[in-house]
Amino acid sequence: MNPLLIDPNNHAPEVAPDDGWEDAEGFEAKASTTGATLPPRRPPTERSDSTPAENSTAGLRIEPNVARREIGDDSPGLDVQEISGSVIRLEQTAGGPPKVARQVVFHERPPEATKTLGEGRDWGIAQKFSLKWAVLIGTGITSVVILSMMMLPSINKANAARSALPERDMRVIEDENVEGMDAVNALIAKQPEAEQIFRSYITARVADEVLPLLLDAESVNAVLRRDWRQSGIGKDWLPPQDTAWQVMKSGKRPYALLEGTLPDFSKFSACFVTKNGKLLLDWKATTGYSTATFDELAKRQGDPREIRGLLSMANFYTANWPEEEYQSYQLLAPQGERSVWCYARRTEAAGGACADLLRTGEILDETQGSRKITVRLSPGPDAALPNQWQIAEVLHADWLTP
């Protein structure tokens, strides 16, 4: 048994010479029961290529079909053909030039090369100046000093103290009473009163509660009763603490604006004026009242006697309104919903008043975006363009009641 094929995990007993390999009876008995038979064991001295013994029974034999070549066989083998046995060597036939020994030649440094940059030949050697140069230098310095001393009086004369200037006639200007300042100062301290008036106005249930608080109540009585609407704000409402109070002048008329927020977070701006020392609410300026609505003006309808809006410059001209004669404007409703085209003749008072109202620069011709204005309008010549009107008169450079 080949020791290389021994399984270390299979401890089979060694084969003994007295094992019963030639006992055919035992195998035949087993064959009858199992149906399979093993070939008999080959004697140990028998070769694989020798003839089996006569007394042994032939078993399974497997032989290779490869023909073996014997020593005396003359069959041809591999043909080896030698092409050439010589090797061509690439060698240089002529020798290279002989090497020449290096020769060192000494070159003397030229004289000008001995100079160092920035240094002279006599650098570091003490030299003596002649007496002539010393005398000339001393004379020059002395001359400069003497000349400076001679020019000193003329210099001091130019810087001498000037005679005292005559005292100007100065006097204290007493505080002058500026026209309208008393009314302005009186309005500054009236914010609490204005808040109480506006609170009574915005929470009123009927028009009769509002009329005593308004400016020119007789002239607005009919209009107020016609257009009266309750605001729906309770009597317990108070203006917020951040309500602003601004006092200003429109021409020579002082007025004040109370601006704040309503309970529905909408903003309000109420205009107040004084008349006979009494603070009153200017209803027309507060509501932006006009004798005709902008919807009516866009259709060439309504009464254009007193129209309030936001005026701004425009550049829309037609054959009926040439730019050489008229200035184009856009008049926007106080609520900012509708607008109409307005034209002012440049040579008339209305045109000059509108131009002065929007002009802000003294040197440059600058204009503002828009300004509050109260005007009287007249219809244009072309009925086919109903939303074009002419500014006949500027009633007020604001929304105040004229």
Side-chain angles (χ1 to χ4, degrees):
M1 181 180 291
N2 190 357
L4 298 176
L5 302 178
I6 296 175
D7 188 359
N9 297 323
N10 186 11
H11 302 283
E14 298 291 339
V15 179
D18 55 352
D19 290 341
W21 289 92
E22 295 180 356
D23 190 0
E25 296 178 357
F27 289 104
E28 291 177 357
K30 294 179 180 180
S32 61
T33 58
T34 60
T37 305
L38 296 176
R41 183 185 179 189
R42 184 184 302 174
T45 58
E46 184 180 0
R47 294 172 54 88
S48 60
D49 55 349
S50 61
T51 305
E54 294 179 358
N55 57 353
S56 63
T57 305
L60 180 62
R61 183 181 182 84
I62 300 174
E63 295 183 356
N65 296 327
V66 179
R68 297 184 178 180
R69 182 182 177 185
E70 301 296 338
I71 299 176
D73 193 357
D74 296 336
S75 59
L78 297 176
D79 296 335
V80 179
Q81 182 179 3
E82 184 178 0
I83 298 175
S84 177
S86 61
V87 179
I88 301 175
R89 298 179 62 85
L90 301 178
E91 295 181 356
Q92 187 175 1
T93 55
K99 294 183 179 180
V100 180
R102 182 180 180 183
Q103 297 181 1
V104 179
V105 180
F106 177 77
H107 297 279
E108 185 178 0
R109 188 176 184 180
E112 59 273 6
T114 58
K115 293 183 179 180
T116 305
L117 183 62
E119 299 178 359
R121 292 180 178 271
D122 54 354
W123 183 84
I125 301 176
Q127 297 182 1
K128 296 181 179 180
F129 290 92
S130 62
L131 183 61
K132 176 183 177 180
W133 285 106
V135 173
L136 292 177
I137 293 174
T139 304
I141 296 175
T142 304
S143 302
V144 171
V145 173
I146 295 173
L147 182 60
S148 301
M149 296 297 293
M150 293 175 62
M151 295 179 63
L152 186 60
S154 59
I155 297 175
N156 292 336
K157 184 179 180 180
N159 296 330
R162 298 183 178 90
S163 59
L165 295 176
E167 295 184 1
R168 296 181 179 178
D169 185 12
M170 302 180 66
R171 59 185 179 87
V172 178
I173 300 177
E174 300 293 338
D175 295 337
E176 297 180 358
N177 186 14
V178 181
E179 184 179 359
M181 286 302 298
D182 293 338
V184 172
N185 295 332
L187 279 174
I188 293 177
K190 290 184 177 296
Q191 180 177 359
E193 184 180 355
E195 292 181 356
Q196 183 63 31
I197 294 174
F198 182 76
R199 176 173 174 269
S200 301
Y201 164 76
I202 201 68
T203 59
R205 295 291 183 266
V206 293
D208 293 336
E209 298 178 5
V210 176
L211 289 173
L213 308 174
L214 304 183
L215 176 67
D216 295 339
E218 297 79 5
S219 63
V220 300
N221 184 12
V223 179
L224 179 64
R225 293 181 182 277
R226 184 191 63 189
D227 299 337
W228 173 253
R229 299 289 184 276
Q230 294 186 14
S231 63
I233 300 176
K235 291 287 187 178
D236 58 345
W237 177 81
L238 294 174
Q241 295 182 356
D242 58 349
T243 302
W245 178 251
Q246 301 180 11
V247 179
M248 56 196 72
K249 293 183 65 176
S250 176
K252 295 182 180 181
R253 296 183 59 184
Y255 68 99
L257 291 178
L258 184 68
E259 297 178 339
T261 307
L262 295 175
D264 58 352
F265 301 102
S266 61
K267 295 183 179 180
F268 69 86
S269 178
C271 181
F272 291 86
V273 296
T274 56
K275 185 176 182 181
N276 299 327
K278 185 178 180 181
L279 186 65
L280 298 173
L281 177 67
D282 191 342
W283 180 77
K284 290 184 177 180
T286 301
T287 59
Y289 167 77
S290 298
T291 54
T293 63
F294 276 72
D295 291 336
E296 293 175 344
L297 294 177
K299 300 176 183 178
R300 200 184 178 89
Q301 299 174 0
D303 184 7
R305 289 183 297 106
E306 188 178 349
I307 305 298
R308 287 174 172 83
L310 297 173
L311 189 69
S312 60
M313 284 192 173
N315 293 317
F316 181 69
Y317 298 95
T318 61
N320 296 324
W321 310 100
E323 185 177 2
E324 294 78 9
E325 300 180 14
Y326 296 90
Q327 172 62 48
S328 174
Y329 295 97
Q330 185 180 18
L331 187 62
L332 185 66
Q335 293 77 17
E337 298 176 356
R338 297 294 298 271
S339 63
V340 294
W341 297 106
C342 296
Y343 298 88
R345 191 180 294 273
R346 299 180 185 272
T347 58
E348 294 181 355
C354 293
D356 294 339
L357 179 63
L358 295 177
R359 185 180 299 114
T360 59
E362 296 293 339
I363 300 177
L364 300 179
D365 188 12
E366 299 178 356
T367 58
Q368 294 184 356
S370 61
R371 283 289 302 272
K372 293 181 179 180
I373 194 172
T374 305
V375 295
R376 180 174 61 86
L377 302 178
S378 60
D382 191 356
L385 300 174
N387 62 338
Q388 293 185 354
W389 296 79
Q390 181 178 354
I391 300 177
E393 183 183 0
V394 176
L395 301 179
H396 203 283
D398 214 306
W399 290 353
L400 299 178
T401 302

